[in-house]
Amino acid sequence: MQKLDDMNILDSSIMNFIISVEKVAHVQPNNNIEHALLILIKSGYTAIPVLDTSFRLHGLISKAQILDSILGIEKIEPERLQKTLVSDVMTSDIARVKDTERFEKVLSFSINHPFICVESNEGSFLGIITRSKLLAYLNGFLHGNKRKM
Ligand code: 4BW
């Protein structure tokens, strides 16, 4: 079988796979974690980006981080939900790329990250690339090429 890099797929624009900002569930750093938990439960996602009002990316927050943050020594302390801010719990160690990045880079990030955040050169959040979008594209590409061979 031909190698993937002979087929130019690794150079494809990542903008072919982006889920644009208006379709991405997100919260703000100064929301409390009760609000974040509601958004996570209602959207059905495990983790979502944290964006400020200017659509700058600050990190991501997950259900697991929120649950961990309300865990007392011997009991769950739900009163912390209203007192704790997203910025206190979120992680800023996330997978992020510029919109000019190549397919190859997001593919390798997706091994360890379920989604990758995409930003413009000016630092505005543009959307996310999910592992499922990448796999669907790769699968379609490989099957299309198999038929041509
Ligand atoms: O609501 C859902 N709709 C659909 N169509 N699929 C869903 C939904 N929720 C979960 N899934 C499926 C997807 O295949 O489960 C996978 C794991 O979800 P996750 O991680 O643990 O919540 C989904 O895989 P994916 O599409 O590759 O998405 C990877 C991760 O990207 C998700 C979630 O953290 C994030 N994500 C995806 N779409 C998002 C989003 N975050 C915010 N807004 C979105 N629109």
Side-chain angles (χ1 to χ4, degrees), residues 19 23-25 43-49 114-115 128 130-133:
I19 297 176
K23 293 185 188 144
V24 176
S43 67
Y45 295 117
T46 310
I48 54 176
F115 67 91
I128 60 172
T130 60
R131 197 180 272 162
S132 64
K133 284 255 176 196

Side-chain angles (χ1 to χ4, degrees), residues 30-38 41 61-63 65-71 76-86 88-89:
N30 59 356
N31 289 145
N32 63 27
I33 57 172
E34 181 175 50
H35 176 76
L37 189 57
L38 284 172
I41 292 170
I61 189 158
S62 68
K63 283 178 193 155
Q65 287 169 322
I66 294 176
L67 293 179
D68 195 49
S69 74
I70 61 168
L71 210 57
I76 291 174
E77 297 174 357
E79 61 280 6
R80 290 197 204 166
L81 284 171
Q82 283 179 359
K83 293 182 199 148
T84 311
L85 295 181
V86 165
D88 298 328
V89 171

Side-chain angles (χ1 to χ4, degrees), residues 69-117:
S69 74
I70 61 168
L71 210 57
I73 294 177
E74 281 186 352
K75 63 183 180 78
I76 291 174
E77 297 174 357
E79 61 280 6
R80 290 197 204 166
L81 284 171
Q82 283 179 359
K83 293 182 199 148
T84 311
L85 295 181
V86 165
S87 55
D88 298 328
V89 171
M90 68 179 201
T91 176
S92 46
D93 182 18
I94 54 171
R96 60 205 298 172
V97 293
K98 295 287 182 210
D99 56 345
T100 47
E101 196 50 84
R102 299 163 70 222
F103 181 87
E104 189 170 10
K105 177 82 171 183
V106 290
L107 187 61
S108 68
F109 267 150
S110 76
I111 296 169
N112 292 318
H113 300 274
F115 67 91
I116 297 117
C117 296

